[in-house]
Amino acid sequence: MDTRTPTDGALADLRLRQLTSATLPVGAFAYSQGLETAVELGWVGDLPQAAAWIGGQLQHSLARVEVPLLARLMAAFSAEDRDAAMHWSGLLLAMRDTAELRAQERALASAWAVLLGDLDLDDARTWVDLPQRTALALFALAATRFRIAPPTAAQACLWAWLEAQVSAAVRAVPLGHTAAQRLLYELAQDIPAVVASGLAVADADIGAAAPALAIASCRHETQYSRLFRS
């Protein structure tokens, strides 16, 4: 038996670590998802405000959009149901309120598709130019092929998002590195409950309203000085 196959639990865990690594060459570091404008507008200027901004999205947006859609995408890929995968990915794209957020999804998705294709996930290549492509769909595809359970994949996905947001806060607020670690430490404890609630969301209940994020993202499109692409 080939002990290197993705059915091996230890290897699957290592594959998951790779999928959530900040070293992935997909360009995620270039996006703040509205945080940069929230800082510019004075909404986020210190550690408590950063915690409220990032934690609020985790609790009220990702729990009701990313987590349930990740589970459905993984189920679709597991069943080899391409139409269902495109449906759920397209729904996520439709829920991105601004041009910048949709452009981010598509750009990261294309980068993920190329990367995963180079890692021998051949079906990822077919997503490079799909109009419905999203980064979450490509993450779901990889997690499915590496035999990672949906709850575990969801926790890892939220951790990667949280780490990226905190990294953006370090540069934009700015936060010191010790404060950033405190922020990660405090918000990470919410992830298991967010995943549990997200996995229980029914199809008809998928969706969330984040007006401040949408406003910040729209304002970012014309912001004079920018470090980030969103």
Side-chain angles (χ1 to χ4, degrees):
M1 177 181 177
D2 185 352
T3 58
R4 298 173 297 171
T5 60
T7 56
D8 181 85
L11 182 56
D13 179 69
L14 292 172
R15 294 288 189 246
L16 182 59
R17 292 171 188 264
Q18 184 175 0
L19 293 178
T20 57
S21 172
T23 65
L24 282 176
V26 295
F29 65 88
Y31 300 93
S32 80
Q33 294 181 286
L35 177 60
E36 184 174 31
T37 297
V39 173
E40 177 76 12
L41 295 172
W43 299 348
V44 177
D46 56 24
L47 179 60
Q49 290 172 342
W53 177 269
I54 298 170
Q57 290 185 58
L58 184 66
Q59 293 278 358
H60 303 297
S61 293
L62 277 76
R64 302 191 61 82
V65 177
E66 276 81 355
V67 174
L69 286 178
L70 175 64
R72 284 155 179 80
L73 284 162
M74 291 186 68
F77 286 123
S78 181
E80 303 295 341
D81 189 341
R82 182 179 172 85
D83 289 341
M86 288 193 294
H87 166 75
W88 295 117
S89 186
L91 179 61
L92 174 62
L93 197 62
M95 290 180 178
R96 297 307 191 213
D97 294 325
T98 68
E100 276 196 352
L101 294 177
R102 290 189 293 275
Q104 175 182 338
E105 279 291 346
R106 289 191 169 111
L108 291 178
S110 294
W112 268 100
V114 172
L115 172 64
L116 294 176
D118 288 343
L119 296 179
D120 300 326
L121 274 70
D122 293 337
D123 44 349
R125 295 190 181 96
T126 66
W127 283 76
V128 170
D129 296 317
L130 278 182
Q132 303 95 327
R133 67 189 184 278
T134 59
L136 188 69
L138 273 298
F139 179 86
L141 173 60
T144 303
R145 297 295 181 256
F146 295 146
R147 309 291 180 87
I148 297 162
T152 303
Q155 287 196 31
C157 182
L158 295 193
W159 167 259
W161 176 86
L162 174 60
E163 189 175 32
Q165 283 286 283
V166 171
S167 176
V170 168
R171 289 173 280 167
V173 174
L175 294 181
H177 290 286
T178 300
Q181 289 301 314
R182 167 58 60 181
L183 187 55
L184 281 171
Y185 184 81
E186 293 295 336
L187 293 182
Q189 67 185 350
D190 296 333
I191 288 178
V194 168
V195 168
S197 65
L199 292 177
V201 172
D203 288 0
D205 294 329
I206 296 175
L213 172 60
I215 292 168
S217 181
C218 287
R219 293 283 294 269
H220 191 266
E221 294 175 7
T222 57
Q223 187 169 315
Y224 174 70
S225 177
R226 299 187 296 177
L227 293 173
F228 299 92
R229 295 181 64 184
S230 73

